[in-house]
Amino acid sequence: MAWTLRTYVGLAALLIAVQALVLYLFGQPPICTCGEVKLWEGVVLSSGNSQHLTDWYTFSHIIHGLLFYFGLWYFFPRMGVWKRLFFAVGIEVAWEIIENTPMVINHYREQALAQGYTGDSIINSIFDTFAMIGGFILAWRFPIWAVIALALALELYVAYMIRDNLALNVLNLIYQFPSIAAWQSGLPR
């Protein structure tokens, strides 16, 4: 039975609703505890980071979408694009839930740029998922050279602006190198 676009959108919306519910059950606040919702939070070392609609880490979620598109395209070439997007949403939702577990939050707090990290607000987490969807759609519509250029540009720009990016975030999640931690802290080596 072939599902329609409407079915995939409905199922993806259901996954995002589950994401919000699980984060709520984890005790994550719906919005920033400061009581306001901002479109952009540009200060990484602030209590508003990962609490508003978008922040510096939104760019990493766009890159998630680029990577998920190509990974699913490569491993499942006969799968339709909407089904791939549905699976990408599932992967992103799973990551957003895992990212907000006490174990991962505490691991992030050990990093130089995330010492006060308390996890994502629900609205920030949902917008991270929307950013991934945007990245997925860009990868589907743009030529591969443009997608690679975009991913590299985003990684380099964010590294320059805040001394962090998706690659460093993943690396620090696996193992924290003292030289990277010193650079991220702005300390001399």
Side-chain angles (χ1 to χ4, degrees):
M1 173 181 140
W3 288 353
T4 65
L5 172 59
R6 174 184 254 169
T7 303
Y8 286 117
V9 169
L11 289 171
L14 183 62
L15 285 176
I16 294 169
V18 168
Q19 170 185 345
L21 176 62
V22 170
L23 294 183
Y24 176 79
L25 294 174
F26 281 179
Q28 294 307 108
I31 64 169
C32 179
T33 56
C34 65
E36 64 180 346
V37 176
K38 297 191 309 191
L39 176 62
W40 171 258
E41 174 56 59
V43 182
V44 175
L45 295 173
S46 76
S47 60
N49 192 47
S50 295
Q51 301 301 303
H52 295 282
L53 300 182
T54 60
D55 54 44
W56 286 107
Y57 296 100
T58 301
F59 298 111
S60 292
H61 294 280
I62 293 169
I63 296 170
H64 286 182
L66 304 175
L67 293 172
F68 294 165
Y69 175 82
F70 284 112
L72 290 165
W73 170 80
Y74 182 80
F75 288 107
F76 304 100
R78 294 183 184 182
M79 184 184 291
V81 70
W82 299 117
K83 192 173 198 176
R84 280 189 233 141
L85 178 57
F86 170 69
F87 281 110
V89 169
I91 295 166
E92 185 71 13
V93 164
W95 167 245
E96 287 296 320
I97 290 170
I98 292 166
E99 179 184 37
N100 285 283
T101 61
M103 181 183 76
V104 175
I105 290 171
N106 289 331
H107 189 72
Y108 273 135
R109 283 186 190 149
E110 296 171 6
Q111 298 175 26
L113 294 177
Q115 292 175 1
Y117 181 64
T118 59
D120 297 349
S121 70
I122 294 170
I123 194 76
N124 175 266
S125 181
I126 290 170
F127 269 74
D128 286 347
T129 301
F130 290 158
M132 183 284 302
I133 292 169
F136 186 98
I137 291 169
L138 288 173
W140 172 41
R141 297 319 241 166
F142 284 14
I144 192 164
W145 67 266
V147 173
I148 292 169
L150 175 63
L152 290 173
L154 290 176
E155 281 289 88
L156 293 172
Y157 177 66
V158 174
Y160 175 76
M161 295 301 292
I162 67 166
R163 296 180 183 225
D164 204 6
N165 59 22
L166 179 60
L168 291 171
N169 206 296
V170 170
L171 187 62
N172 280 330
L173 204 57
I174 297 167
Y175 180 79
Q176 295 178 36
F177 291 91
S179 59
I180 292 174
W183 175 71
Q184 288 183 317
S185 299
L187 302 173
R189 292 184 201 181

